[in-house]
Amino acid sequence: MDTHHDAGGTLNLRLRLQGITKQYPGCLANDRINLAIEPGEIHALLGENGAGKSTLMKIIYGVTKPDAGQVYWQGNPVTIKDPATARRMGIGMVFQHFSLFETLTVTENIALALGEDAGDLKVLADKIRTVSQRYGMELNPERHIHSLSVGERQRVEIVRCLVQDIQLLILDEPTSVLTPQEVDTLFITLRQLADEGCSILFISHKLKEVQDLCHSATILRAGQVTGDCIPAEAGATNMARMMVGDDTPISTDYPKAEGGEVFLKVHNLSQTTEDPFGINLKNVDFEVRSGEILGVAGVAGNGQEELLAALSGETLEAQAEEILFAGEPAGHLDPKQRRQRGLGFVPEERLGRGAVPEMSLKDNGLLTGFLQGLVSNGFINRVATSQFADKIIDDFNVKTPNQQTAAQSLSGGNLQKFIIGREILQNPKLLVAAHPTWGVDIGAATAIHEALIRLRNDGAAILVISEDIDELFLISDRLCAICNGEISPSKPTQQTSIEEVGRWMTGIFDTETHAVAQESV
Amino acid sequence: MIKLVPRGERSRAMAYMSPVFAGMLTLLTGGIFFATLGLDPLHALSVFLIAPVSDIYGIAELCVKAAPIMLCAVGLAVAFKAQVWNIGAEGQLLMGGLVGSAVALQFGEAEGFWILPTVLISGMIGGGLWGLLAAWLKTRFNANEILTTIMFNYIALYLLLYFVHGALKDPDGYGFPESALFSDAATLPILIEDTRIHIGILFALFASVSIWVLMQRSFIGFQIKVLGADANAAKLAGFKHKHLVWIAMVISAALAGLAGASEVTGPIGQLIPSISPGYGYAAIIVAFLGRLHPIGILFASILMALIYMGGELAQIELNLPLAVTALFQGMLLFYLLACDVLINFRIKLKTAATNAAMGN
């Protein structure tokens, strides 16, 4: 553990945390955490989901109070009683989930966040324009939030912090909603801010980004600091070990496959949504072969939800032929009929769609497993249902006291293993998985990836929609991207690159061969 | 200062204890209320809650009153589990009574074992269709069922009044707004001689068991629970939302209809303007007090029936207005809702000194 800060430099530190401890019911979220950030330093807080990163930053931002420990700001002990206090001290925070009003303009949103400090709206708008230009984040203060892309919305949140006198900027997983190109732009801004003396606390679980950007890193595991390091010098494997511990396998490579017959064919799928903030699907065209994994990259909110609902049968198509299962029209079939034809489905929301939060795992097995002989003559076969739940728990190593445990009391990773297990044990011919490892620890993510690869090797067609581009490169045999309701052409994973997929994600669908001819943005 | 702190997990114990606490708080407040009226609280409470059931006739009468409440409440439990907020049990009960009476009167003095089942089933159909109307408005036009069912309660009441003052009025009844008395073949058999207890209580118990089987063992019941707990999960699993809303509504409405038909063919024996002293509304409280579970509802119905009887006796013995019944019902619901907060929260007493100001 690194202690050199404590000796003489305490007064020069921007922020120092000492012995921060926070207990939640049933979970010690932060256990005697020490952390020090110097002025102008970009400091990474690295850890898996559930390691305690969010709790710690909420404590710094005054959202949560620690049970024990002391926060020092510019060398003085302080108690940050609420976010307004934190803002006045010069702490700004960009949350993972933005809190913006869609129907208001950029200026109005920022004014709301600033409260009384906002002042005159015109002056504020000018200030927003100046600040955003200065840091290379083009932003029109007059625009309404709903017309902005996710990347632009993040800029609004960052600019909101910058219009005030800021000394410490906290960013929670800021890159998870950005394309690779947008990530590069963000990093330029952050480096410029740091050069001007602003400290940055960068929260992430992605090692590569941390190595690219951060001067130093503090690594958390299960609420405790497991190490401090200089990311550029410490190897990625070392940092990963500190994150996950010694007994968890770290994901490796998987052999790619070619696939056989086309099982799912989506042909000219177009759909107009009634939701004013929804995305229309435009001539979506793709195929998934049995025995291959097709990965669909894309920034959230580009039509993934609409595409998933069209595939699951939650929304039905006007033209049955727009979706074909093994050559048979399926666009008009409801979710149950699609399941009968071999569909398995892992939705994005684990609780609230994939599983009923307050119901037991046994009942949640029945939720989609009811076609597997668990119901006879309208009555639930309780023995079979119980065995099905136990089989999922055993085969997929779900850590739970028993099958009577409510779905909501499982960790994200365990519940996801249960849901994926439930779908896989129904022997789907087609599995559609949305963000299969979102918010899941590395150990569970590896287990999920291995399960998907096994299912592929058994001959199922698999479609994975994810925002995690590294994951898609790891498990997909072919890749494409979705942008604003349109889908890019696909390419075998080995023949494409992160840069090309990144371009697809921004809507530039030309392939390298005729890139010049179709330059159209 | 009292602070509510989230428990993190639902307390099962508190879910069961909350109705008990609510009952005790109601008694306590009721006692204070009686005391402020200048009555001896213990005596008043014993008149209210113990005296009514101090003999076999009283217990029989308790069952007579508990039966319709229980029928309505177990049905409502199904609808509420599906998050279908049927507030219209009262109207469905009245329609059951009206349709049942209309059918019973058609048979005149005819004999036959099939007459009574026909009357009761007609009542179920009458109540069920009344509920279906609200279900259809909900699934077709997205009309809020809370509003429609409340409004249907009034329409049902005025329909009943219209017929009891008109087409169904006893021609030999000297102009009173009452139907003719039903024949023996259209009247529910009495269980115990010299009391009014009739087989309606058996219907209620049978309905409770059936609903328990439906909700705990059948796949339809499972789908209803999923729909209520998590409509998105139900949709993704392919459960048919509209069908389930209709089923939940028709079950609850038909049971309320049966309650109405059992009232007119049971203790009342004819169609009169006031066949229910608000059983359908009381059943809403009972359903929640009984935690939407048939066994809980059994106990809650008995308590509610007791409050009805106590109100009547308090009127006679203590000179209190009948509104005392509504007062106790209201307190019970109020305290139940308040105590239910403790299922997800616990009370923390904290001293004022912990609010330290920021340093710097």
Side-chain angles (χ1 to χ4, degrees):
Chain A
M1 209 161 290
D2 153 315
T3 50
H4 70 266
H5 293 308
D6 294 334
T10 301
L11 278 174
N12 297 327
L13 288 172
R14 177 77 28 97
L15 176 80
R16 188 162 75 92
L17 305 180
Q18 194 168 38
I20 296 289
T21 299
K22 179 74 191 176
Q23 172 84 49
Y24 282 120
C27 151
L28 186 56
N30 283 169
D31 185 7
R32 286 162 292 157
I33 291 191
N34 298 328
L35 178 81
I37 306 176
E38 290 172 29
E41 179 189 348
I42 306 182
H43 192 103
L45 187 58
L46 195 61
E48 294 198 82
N49 289 79
K53 295 172 300 190
S54 300
T55 306
L56 190 65
M57 82 204 172
K58 280 184 191 159
I59 288 171
I60 300 173
Y61 196 56
V63 179
T64 312
K65 283 191 196 100
D67 296 334
Q70 183 61 55
V71 179
Y72 296 89
W73 179 250
Q74 324 267 35
N76 303 312
V78 291
T79 305
I80 302 169
K81 68 176 193 312
D82 55 29
T85 311
R87 276 198 296 273
R88 275 198 295 280
M89 289 162 60
I91 301 177
M93 165 127 192
V94 177
F95 286 94
Q96 198 173 358
H97 301 285
F98 308 144
S99 43
L100 297 170
F101 295 93
E102 303 248 352
T103 51
L104 299 182
T105 65
V106 172
T107 314
E108 287 165 342
N109 264 288
I110 292 179
L112 272 175
L114 296 180
E116 286 175 13
D117 304 335
D120 183 52
L121 283 190
K122 282 217 183 74
V123 179
L124 183 62
D126 285 339
K127 199 170 179 190
I128 292 167
R129 209 171 273 122
T130 326
V131 168
S132 60
Q133 273 163 11
R134 186 162 150 223
Y135 293 101
M137 297 185 293
E138 281 304 323
L139 202 59
N140 178 353
E142 315 304 332
R143 279 183 64 185
H144 287 89
I145 298 297
H146 66 79
S147 69
L148 300 182
S149 72
V150 179
E152 288 171 316
R153 291 176 197 208
Q154 188 181 58
R155 289 180 185 176
V156 177
E157 293 270 356
I158 297 175
V159 168
R160 171 177 61 76
C161 301
L162 299 188
V163 292
Q164 289 182 302
D165 186 18
I166 187 154
Q167 315 236 24
L168 171 65
L169 180 63
I170 308 173
L171 297 144
D172 185 14
E173 305 264 357
T175 59
S176 61
V177 295
L178 301 180
T179 63
Q181 283 83 357
E182 285 174 318
V183 170
D184 291 341
T185 322
L186 172 70
F187 283 5
I188 292 169
T189 306
L190 295 182
R191 288 195 189 101
Q192 188 188 341
L193 265 173
D195 287 344
E196 294 173 8
C198 177
S199 304
I200 293 170
L201 184 57
F202 184 87
I203 293 160
S204 181
H205 65 271
K206 293 183 186 164
L207 297 168
K208 200 167 154 294
E209 291 173 5
V210 169
Q211 285 185 311
D212 284 353
L213 179 73
C214 300
H215 304 131
S216 57
T218 297
I219 295 149
L220 290 187
R221 184 172 78 236
Q224 291 180 320
V225 174
T226 50
D228 290 278
C229 67
I230 304 208
E233 292 168 10
T237 322
N238 284 335
M239 292 203 291
R241 270 284 157 247
M242 287 192 264
M243 270 169 78
V244 301
D246 290 330
D247 41 2
T248 310
I250 298 169
S251 222
T252 50
D253 277 345
Y254 301 107
K256 302 293 177 195
E258 284 250 326
E261 298 271 302
V262 171
F263 184 84
L264 170 70
K265 185 173 165 65
V266 176
H267 183 59
N268 264 334
L269 171 67
S270 293
Q271 207 182 69
T272 315
T273 170
E274 284 170 21
D275 178 355
F277 304 120
I279 299 286
N280 295 329
L281 296 177
K282 293 159 210 140
N283 295 320
V284 170
D285 238 354
F286 65 88
E287 296 174 347
V288 191
R289 288 192 274 266
S290 295
E292 73 159 358
I293 299 179
L294 174 68
V296 181
V299 175
N302 267 296
Q304 287 95 331
E305 280 173 46
E306 289 79 5
L307 177 60
L308 285 164
L311 292 174
S312 71
E314 286 162 290
T315 51
L316 301 183
E317 299 321 311
Q319 307 287 326
E321 298 77 28
E322 288 179 344
I323 297 174
L324 301 170
F325 283 9
E328 255 186 87
H332 60 299
L333 299 176
D334 70 28
K336 182 180 164 193
Q337 291 166 321
R338 293 189 197 196
R339 283 191 173 277
Q340 283 163 334
R341 284 162 180 74
L343 172 70
F345 196 90
V346 180
E348 178 179 2
E349 302 92 346
R350 260 155 242 161
L351 284 173
R353 246 174 105 207
V356 183
E358 59 264 41
M359 282 190 166
S360 66
L361 291 182
K362 180 182 161 190
D363 283 349
N364 272 304
L366 179 63
L367 180 65
T368 71
F370 60 90
L371 291 169
Q372 310 301 313
L374 306 185
V375 175
S376 50
N377 301 323
F379 283 88
I380 298 164
N381 184 334
R382 296 164 70 211
V383 177
T385 305
S386 180
Q387 283 167 351
F388 183 60
D390 278 339
K391 188 161 167 54
I392 301 171
I393 292 167
D394 290 347
D395 287 8
F396 289 84
N397 196 17
V398 180
K399 287 184 201 119
T400 170
N402 57 55
Q403 51 159 272
Q404 293 302 335
T405 309
Q408 62 193 356
S409 46
L410 259 62
S411 73
N414 271 312
L415 183 59
Q416 188 70 347
K417 282 197 279 187
F418 181 85
I419 292 172
I420 289 193
R422 177 184 74 193
E423 299 304 311
I424 289 179
L425 283 182
Q426 299 180 47
N427 299 315
K429 291 184 193 138
L430 166 67
L431 182 73
V432 177
H435 315 285
T437 60
W438 179 84
V440 158
D441 58 85
I442 294 188
T446 306
I448 289 166
H449 289 158
E450 283 169 356
L452 290 175
I453 299 287
R454 261 197 318 269
L455 182 69
R456 174 199 75 185
N457 292 344
D458 290 345
I462 301 179
L463 178 73
V464 175
I465 294 184
S466 177
E467 285 161 39
D468 185 341
I469 200 161
D470 299 328
E471 165 175 64
L472 289 175
F473 270 87
L474 181 67
I475 59 171
S476 307
D477 302 312
R478 255 181 332 123
L479 277 171
C480 62
I482 187 167
C483 176
N484 198 22
E486 294 182 82
I487 224 148
S488 75
S490 70
K491 269 194 181 180
T493 306
Q494 282 125 327
Q495 292 170 28
T496 183
S497 61
I498 291 224
E499 288 70 31
E500 187 176 29
V501 175
R503 279 203 304 278
W504 289 343
M505 286 162 73
T506 52
I508 307 169
F509 290 168
D510 51 353
T511 47
E512 280 160 25
T513 43
H514 48 282
V516 192
Q518 284 191 347
E519 198 77 55
S520 59
V521 190
Chain B
M1 199 176 79
I2 295 174
K3 213 181 153 198
L4 288 172
V5 187
R7 287 181 191 272
E9 204 172 336
R10 259 178 78 84
S11 158
R12 282 183 82 95
M14 193 47 78
Y16 293 117
M17 287 312 290
S18 163
V20 177
F21 287 155
M24 293 196 305
L25 285 167
T26 304
L27 284 186
L28 187 70
T29 319
I32 295 170
F33 160 76
F34 287 135
T36 57
L37 288 176
L39 299 164
D40 172 12
L42 285 181
H43 171 68
L45 281 177
S46 82
V47 167
F48 196 75
L49 296 173
I50 297 171
V53 287
S54 53
D55 57 13
I56 192 82
Y57 181 81
I59 290 169
E61 203 59 16
L62 188 73
C63 294
V64 170
K65 289 202 158 48
I69 299 174
M70 208 189 305
L71 274 172
C72 290
V74 287
L76 288 181
V78 176
F80 292 166
K81 279 273 185 193
Q83 302 251 352
V84 173
W85 303 111
N86 178 12
I87 312 298
E90 181 76 4
Q92 291 142 15
L93 181 150
L94 297 179
M95 288 308 278
L98 174 62
V99 175
S101 301
V103 172
L105 292 168
Q106 301 312 310
F107 290 116
E109 291 300 316
E111 297 278 328
F113 69 90
W114 45 270
I115 291 179
L116 189 59
T118 312
V119 170
L120 294 173
I121 289 168
S122 311
M124 289 178 81
I125 293 172
L129 288 177
W130 203 241
L132 264 191
L133 204 53
W136 176 72
L137 289 172
K138 178 181 168 72
T139 55
R140 175 67 184 80
F141 299 107
N142 205 17
N144 185 310
E145 74 276 16
I146 299 178
L147 300 178
T148 55
T149 52
I150 289 178
M151 291 192 277
F152 279 135
N153 286 344
Y154 293 97
I155 301 175
L157 176 63
Y158 288 109
L159 273 176
L160 185 143
L161 292 175
Y162 173 77
F163 281 104
V164 83
H165 283 93
L168 298 180
K169 187 161 71 176
D170 184 2
D172 306 325
Y174 308 104
F176 284 107
E178 289 174 358
S179 76
L181 286 173
F182 300 158
S183 68
D184 285 350
T187 307
L188 291 178
I190 296 288
L191 284 178
I192 302 171
E193 227 27 62
D194 296 328
T195 68
R196 297 205 302 160
I197 187 169
H198 56 88
I199 60 168
I201 187 74
L202 302 183
F203 297 160
L205 293 173
F206 180 71
S208 297
V209 174
S210 308
I211 294 297
W212 185 84
V213 171
L214 175 84
M215 295 309 284
Q216 302 299 325
R217 295 285 185 265
S218 82
F219 191 53
I220 285 282
F222 176 75
Q223 294 180 57
I224 287 175
K225 284 190 284 187
V226 172
L227 176 70
D230 190 341
N232 287 329
K235 191 174 181 191
L236 183 65
F239 302 163
K240 295 204 166 57
H241 178 259
K242 280 185 187 180
H243 291 197
L244 293 172
V245 169
W246 282 51
I247 289 170
M249 193 61 140
V250 89
I251 288 174
S252 72
L255 288 175
L258 177 61
S262 305
E263 283 299 285
V264 291
T265 57
I268 305 175
Q270 64 185 137
L271 185 65
I272 56 172
S274 55
I275 60 173
S276 157
Y279 289 147
Y281 295 115
I284 299 168
I285 303 173
V286 166
F288 285 113
L289 198 62
R291 306 278 85 155
L292 305 183
H293 189 282
I295 293 174
I297 287 172
L298 174 75
F299 289 114
S301 317
I302 290 172
L303 177 64
M304 188 57 75
L306 189 59
I307 290 178
Y308 270 108
M309 293 176 68
E312 286 170 13
L313 206 62
Q315 193 180 18
I316 298 165
E317 297 220 344
L318 305 172
N319 275 328
L320 290 174
L322 198 57
V324 77
T325 298
L327 185 81
F328 270 77
Q329 288 177 356
M331 285 196 294
L332 204 51
L333 182 63
F334 173 81
Y335 282 125
L336 181 72
L337 295 176
C339 291
D340 276 357
V341 171
L342 298 178
I343 296 173
N344 289 313
F345 294 87
R346 63 193 168 83
I347 293 175
K348 193 176 170 185
L349 295 169
K350 72 175 218 178
T351 49
T354 32
N355 284 346
M358 172 199 147
N360 205 355

